[in-house]
Amino acid sequence: MSYQLTIEPIGQTIDIAPDQTILDACMRAGVWLPHACCHGLCATCKVQVVDGEIEHGHASPFALMDFERDERKCLACCATAQSDITIEADIDEDEDAMHYPVLDYVGRVVAIEDLTPTIKGIAIELDGDGIAFQAGQYVNVTIPGESTPRAFSLAGAPGMRNRIELNVRRVPGGKGTAYLHEQLAPGDAVRLAGPYGRFFVRKSDPKPVILIAGGSGLSSPRSMLFDLLEDGDARPITLVYGARNREELYYHEAFLALEARHPNFRYVPALSDEPGDSTWDGFRGFVHQAASAHFGNDFRGHKAYLCGPPVMIEASIRALMQGQLFERDIYTEKFLSNADGAQALAKSPLFKSL
């Protein structure tokens, strides 16, 4: 049994199962809705129910307030249909967006690498045609014994559809990353779904690209970089990547090699907590400071793509805006755990990402 879900203003009608969220039904039909946390915390996926009955699910009372429920609003990531329904969503079409339907996959681990003391690189081989995705997107990985999947950005080039790469940082106390770091082994099966996300390079705009990343937030910018270089894109591309120390700086030699091969690519690594007596001769400080120093605090005429923890994103946005780059040319992907989301809501129920 299934119901009919009509999405306005595009007027498209799709099937939705009784236990399926509105967001999941849309994504699997190739219809993109704005979303971020997917846990009922951030309110990014809020939509208006025009007709029909829904169940709100585990929507946070901060993200969806009582008066909004009375106004028949809901969070698409956790609301389910109780009848045929019609919703009205804020769908902002982008000519550079690729609409790949979300599908389920079963892959097999072919390699696990210690990239840093806290980050593992996991390579997964997929059968058949593999996964079609846009550089910057992510997948949800099923963790045995856990009801909530974990999101990880795809770190490889989109052209490698049958072999995907994940960079997984060990989260203290995190059950999902504990399993992936301590139990997962080559040969194991992995269940995942994707692609998800709306973080991608606007290729139709010829402006030079700045990629700013911190920690395992390097995954999406790495995929974007590979995609641009493999397409033969000639625009200037700068990757500014920050880590605490040399031990935590990964893919360093590979980026230096790419820089040597591609005249339009510049690589700017930064270490914020490297011992003073080390041999490191690169930038010392935070990644936003490295970006400002490299560009002389003038970012005009660029497109910037930022990926990493919220504190890094916020500092980088401030630096970019001080250097005359503004919201229309800044795109972000924040790495938020469940704990991060809870803290953000505790600080401000009106928290909104750029």
Side-chain angles (χ1 to χ4, degrees):
M1 173 186 175
S2 65
Y3 298 122
Q4 296 289 293
L5 164 61
T6 301
I7 306 107
E8 298 293 355
I10 63 174
Q12 186 168 343
T13 298
I14 62 175
D15 291 335
I16 179 171
D19 60 348
Q20 186 178 25
T21 67
I22 292 172
L23 179 61
D24 185 66
C26 289
M27 297 295 287
R28 290 179 181 275
V31 178
W32 182 84
L33 295 184
H35 64 281
C37 78
C38 296
H39 300 300
L41 295 173
C42 72
T44 305
C45 65
K46 192 177 295 178
V47 298
Q48 179 72 50
V49 180
V50 177
D51 189 39
E53 300 300 321
I54 58 100
E55 170 60 46
H56 285 288
H58 53 270
S60 161
F62 294 103
L64 187 70
M65 299 182 184
D66 287 343
F67 77 89
E68 292 178 306
R69 296 170 193 249
D70 293 340
E71 292 173 351
R72 291 178 57 79
K73 291 183 172 65
C74 71
L75 301 186
C77 73
C78 47
T80 54
Q82 304 297 298
S83 69
D84 291 345
I85 59 173
T86 299
I87 63 168
E88 188 173 290
D90 183 15
I91 301 177
D92 183 17
E93 284 300 318
D94 191 304
E95 64 177 305
D96 292 299
M98 298 179 183
H99 299 285
Y100 295 118
V102 171
L103 300 173
D104 295 312
Y105 300 90
V106 178
R108 194 159 300 280
V109 178
V110 292
I112 299 178
E113 177 186 4
D114 289 325
L115 298 174
T116 78
T118 60
I119 300 172
K120 286 187 181 292
I122 301 174
I124 301 169
E125 190 173 276
L126 303 176
D127 293 332
D129 294 331
I131 182 172
F133 69 95
Q134 190 165 11
Q137 291 190 296
Y138 67 91
V139 293
N140 280 336
V141 177
T142 298
I143 305 299
E146 294 291 309
S147 59
T148 302
R150 305 303 195 267
F152 298 101
S153 295
L154 293 155
M160 296 184 63
R161 294 177 49 159
N162 289 95
R163 181 186 171 103
I164 63 171
E165 300 177 40
L166 308 178
N167 296 166
V168 179
R169 179 178 67 89
R170 179 72 160 89
V171 177
K175 293 180 180 178
T177 59
Y179 169 79
L180 295 173
H181 270 246
E182 298 171 7
Q183 298 181 49
L184 191 70
D188 286 353
V190 177
R191 295 183 178 277
L192 56 92
Y196 293 97
R198 195 74 164 177
F199 187 53
F200 55 88
V201 173
R202 273 62 182 180
K203 292 184 178 181
S204 65
D205 191 318
K207 291 187 182 75
V209 167
I210 304 172
L211 306 170
I212 301 179
S216 60
L218 180 60
S219 301
S220 289
R222 181 175 183 254
S223 182
M224 291 171 164
L225 173 62
F226 285 169
D227 187 40
L228 288 168
L229 294 179
E230 289 180 4
D231 277 355
D233 199 306
R235 80 186 74 193
I237 306 165
T238 304
L239 169 63
V240 189
Y241 175 50
R244 291 182 60 251
N245 52 54
R246 181 63 186 87
E247 198 175 27
E248 292 286 343
L249 190 72
Y250 67 106
Y251 295 139
H252 179 63
E253 288 76 15
F255 288 134
L256 290 174
L258 277 177
E259 184 180 42
R261 292 201 306 271
H262 297 275
N264 62 320
F265 172 52
R266 292 292 177 268
Y267 169 52
V268 183
L271 302 181
S272 62
D273 194 26
E274 176 70 0
D277 59 355
S278 77
T279 59
W280 175 252
D281 60 357
F283 188 89
R284 291 175 180 265
F286 293 106
V287 68
H288 66 282
Q289 296 169 331
S292 293
H294 181 78
F295 286 95
N297 200 36
D298 185 353
F299 300 103
R300 287 174 294 180
H302 289 80
K303 288 275 188 184
Y305 300 87
L306 286 55
C307 191
V311 65
M312 186 223 86
I313 296 289
E314 289 156 13
S316 296
I317 290 172
R318 286 195 296 270
L320 290 168
M321 296 185 82
Q322 287 168 4
Q324 301 297 302
L325 193 70
F326 300 108
E327 183 173 349
R328 67 180 179 273
D329 291 317
I330 302 174
Y331 304 90
T332 69
E333 181 87 313
K334 293 183 181 180
F335 274 27
L336 285 172
S337 67
N338 287 345
D340 292 327
Q343 289 173 5
L345 285 169
K347 291 177 183 177
S348 171
L350 301 180
F351 175 82
K352 183 178 182 294
S353 63
L354 187 75

